Amino acid sequence: MNFKILFQKKYTVVLFYFSIIVTTYSQSKTDCNTIFVCISKENYEQLFQNSFVKDTLFLCKENSTTTTTDSYTGKYLLGEFGTIEFIQPSENINFGDMLNDIGIEFKTRRKGDLIQLKNKTTPNKCVIKGININESDKNYLWYSELKLVKHPTNFEISILEYSQDYLEMLGFTNDEINQEITPTYYNKVVYNNKKYPRKFKSFKSVSVEVNSEGKKYLKQIAKEFNCKNLKNAIVWNGFTIHYKLNNKLQKMILKNIEINLTEKLASKNILISPDILLSITDTTANLKFN
């Protein structure tokens, strides 16, 4: 037996597995942070009328935001580790202001992750854009977002990274900003260890109907952002985007948002607005859109 060759083979195998471990641990983690959808005025007005929805399942809040490029008011279903945002159509021409506009926003955990993710994408396919916010007579960088240069008319996926100024305003120290900020640690700092008082924990999946343009976009997202590409789905750090092809569609359609609950609840169905049905089974809830 040639022990030199045997040693070289074993050494190569060890290096191979070590490289896998290094690659795995060096990958930037992102979490599904916000899903927003522009709905009709009738649906928007009825969102907070059900007592179970506003007193048990979600923290409900209406808030207005002004940035250097847009101004909008939304209703928010706040979860422990995620937010569903509803906007009604407006006369503005920005993405998000038109009926059925859909956005899915992920958030980085470490300062500098966004530029690292950008550097791994195909040249000229993705862009980083800074969003400044106007608040209390102050103008500052709120976050930067990474996204594909081109996206379907009414659907966009982006990855956000909060600015140092914004995190400092939330109470983070410089040392904390330079470390990994998990969703749990983020809540610990921002909410001073207060227990989340409702049942919406985190996002589990979203389901959309897409045309050929939308399907192509999702496959590009999976490639550029290193997501797991499955048949009719892409998986992103425990969150799944399910899609169904319908070439008759002019635009993409949001069909369902699936969320994890903090505990098991009795099964029930609640019509929370004319076109939005809430369905609960055990530790999962679904917001179904007609």
Side-chain angles (χ1 to χ4, degrees), residues 36-234:
F36 70 82
V37 58
C38 186
I39 60 176
S40 70
K41 181 179 179 181
E42 183 182 13
N43 282 284
Y44 184 89
E45 289 175 345
Q46 296 188 35
L47 284 173
F48 294 169
Q49 292 187 2
N50 183 275
S51 60
F52 179 81
V53 168
K54 66 179 182 178
D55 297 328
T56 300
L57 204 60
F58 305 105
L59 273 175
C60 296
K61 180 181 179 182
E62 187 171 25
N63 188 55
S64 296
T65 302
T66 300
T67 69
T68 50
T69 59
D70 201 2
S71 180
Y72 56 91
T73 297
K75 285 187 175 179
Y76 298 81
L77 304 181
L78 303 171
E80 186 174 10
F81 303 123
T83 299
I84 304 172
E85 178 182 359
F86 295 97
I87 303 169
Q88 56 184 329
S90 75
E91 296 179 354
N92 297 337
I93 59 173
N94 294 305
F95 173 71
D97 295 320
M98 300 293 291
L99 184 65
N100 296 323
D101 280 358
I102 310 159
I104 302 176
E105 298 175 344
F106 293 81
K107 183 162 65 67
T108 65
R109 294 186 176 187
R110 284 185 180 273
K111 179 182 176 182
D113 277 358
L114 204 66
I115 190 64
Q116 290 185 23
L117 289 166
K118 170 67 167 61
N119 290 338
K120 294 176 183 178
T121 62
T122 305
N124 303 320
K125 288 289 186 180
C126 299
V127 64
I128 292 179
K129 180 181 179 182
I131 303 297
N132 282 50
I133 191 169
N134 293 323
E135 192 174 70
S136 302
D137 297 325
K138 294 181 181 179
N139 184 301
Y140 59 89
L141 179 63
W142 183 8
Y143 61 83
S144 298
E145 60 177 356
L146 174 65
K147 56 186 179 181
L148 266 63
V149 173
K150 296 182 179 180
H151 67 90
T153 308
N154 71 313
F155 182 64
E156 186 175 66
I157 296 172
S158 58
I159 304 176
L160 313 184
E161 185 168 291
Y162 289 145
S163 73
Q164 174 141 346
D165 286 346
Y166 180 65
L167 290 173
E168 286 176 352
M169 289 180 66
L170 292 176
F172 287 88
T173 66
N174 190 59
D175 287 342
E176 290 170 333
I177 291 171
N178 288 302
Q179 297 175 5
E180 182 183 42
I181 302 176
T182 65
T184 300
Y185 194 77
Y186 178 89
N187 287 356
K188 178 182 178 181
V189 174
V190 175
Y191 301 113
N192 296 315
N193 285 318
K194 292 180 181 178
K195 184 179 178 181
Y196 175 67
R198 301 290 191 269
K199 306 301 179 186
F200 169 22
K201 185 175 182 68
S202 60
F203 289 115
K204 188 173 184 179
S205 74
V206 66
S207 298
V208 292
E209 280 193 27
V210 303
N211 51 24
S212 57
E213 180 192 23
K215 181 178 179 180
K216 180 181 178 181
Y217 175 75
L218 286 171
K219 286 185 174 294
Q220 288 177 329
I221 284 287
K223 176 186 176 183
E224 298 298 337
F225 295 155
N226 196 29
C227 309
K228 186 180 292 185
N229 193 358
L230 306 176
K231 183 178 180 181
N232 298 326
I234 61 175

Side-chain angles (χ1 to χ4, degrees), residues 32 35 58 84 200-207 238-242 254-261 278-279 281 283-289:
C32 185
I35 297 174
F58 305 105
I84 304 172
F200 169 22
K201 185 175 182 68
S202 60
F203 289 115
K204 188 173 184 179
S205 74
V206 66
S207 298
F239 175 78
T240 304
I241 301 174
H242 301 281
L254 178 63
K255 300 299 293 183
N256 188 72
I257 298 174
E258 184 182 23
I259 63 174
N260 299 304
L261 303 177
L278 173 68
S279 176
T281 305
T283 58
T284 302
N286 288 275
L287 285 169
K288 301 177 181 181
F289 298 80

